[in-house]
Amino acid sequence: MAPPIALPETFARAVAGLRSVTPRSEIVLEEVGAPQRLAPYAFALSAAVLRDGDEVATGRLILLHDPAGHEAWQGTLRLVTYVTAELEVDLAADPLLPGVGWTWLTDALDAQDARYRAIGGTVTQTLSTRFGELAGPPAAGDIEIRASWTPRGVDLAPHLLGWCALLSSTAGLPPPGVTPLPSRRPAGAA
């Protein structure tokens, strides 16, 4: 049996910070296999956001570590994310959605004091209408946020909390502690 491989301290501390976070109850985190070709060390989490028992958003957060560093990363650690959610068609068609989606990410990181540099990414909005043999459900919309950033420091708990806040925003969850008001019908409506 081969001896266990010692992980670099920076990577081990970063993973420990990610594992220390307990997300809000609507977010289910799971450790999953990480891509092996992007960096010498990698760790990954997947997430599902549930609302009333239905999955309304999903995501993946990958931690990459290269002890030699990368010029483009401006450091030795890199966080990479992919988040997607179904949206109401009118929201998915809004031309301001990509900018709003990007702000969900940066505001979420900033609110958790998750300091970063070299951030970049894309926000994609799609509308789909089914025809022929696939006809059925009405038009559907989606948002997809792909991004990466370099954390300043190895305590990644604030970054994971920020990422969970991004998932919550993308899924349309109210802020923690806020209960949405029930829909009310106007007087006399059937």
Side-chain angles (χ1 to χ4, degrees), residues 18-162:
L18 293 173
R19 286 179 171 156
S20 73
V21 171
T22 301
R24 61 190 285 180
S25 62
E26 299 94 338
I27 299 175
V28 179
L29 293 178
E30 179 182 1
E31 291 184 23
V32 294
Q36 298 301 306
R37 295 183 181 177
L38 301 176
Y41 302 93
F43 175 81
L45 293 168
S46 70
V49 182
L50 305 174
R51 186 174 51 223
D52 300 326
D54 294 326
E55 187 176 278
V56 293
T58 60
R60 181 173 265 204
L61 183 69
I62 302 168
L63 167 63
L64 303 174
H65 175 58
D66 187 338
H70 276 275
E71 187 176 325
W73 293 2
Q74 299 176 21
T76 63
L77 294 172
R78 190 76 173 164
L79 288 167
V80 180
T81 188
Y82 168 80
V83 172
T84 186
E86 287 186 33
L87 299 174
E88 295 176 13
V89 172
D90 57 337
L91 183 57
D94 189 329
L96 300 177
L97 180 62
V100 170
W102 187 253
T103 301
W104 288 337
L105 171 62
T106 57
D107 285 356
L109 292 172
D110 293 344
Q112 295 297 325
D113 198 27
R115 297 175 353 124
Y116 57 87
R117 65 176 159 257
I119 192 168
T122 62
V123 177
T124 305
Q125 63 194 105
T126 59
L127 291 173
S128 300
T129 305
R130 300 172 188 257
F131 296 96
E133 293 295 318
L134 296 177
D142 294 295
I143 185 171
E144 176 183 285
I145 300 169
R146 292 179 183 261
S148 64
W149 63 93
T150 299
R152 294 179 181 257
V154 296
D155 179 8
L156 299 190
H159 293 269
L160 183 53
L161 289 169

Side-chain angles (χ1 to χ4, degrees), residues 160-172:
L160 183 53
L161 289 169
W163 184 67
C164 287
L166 166 65
L167 284 162
S168 298
S169 295
T170 305

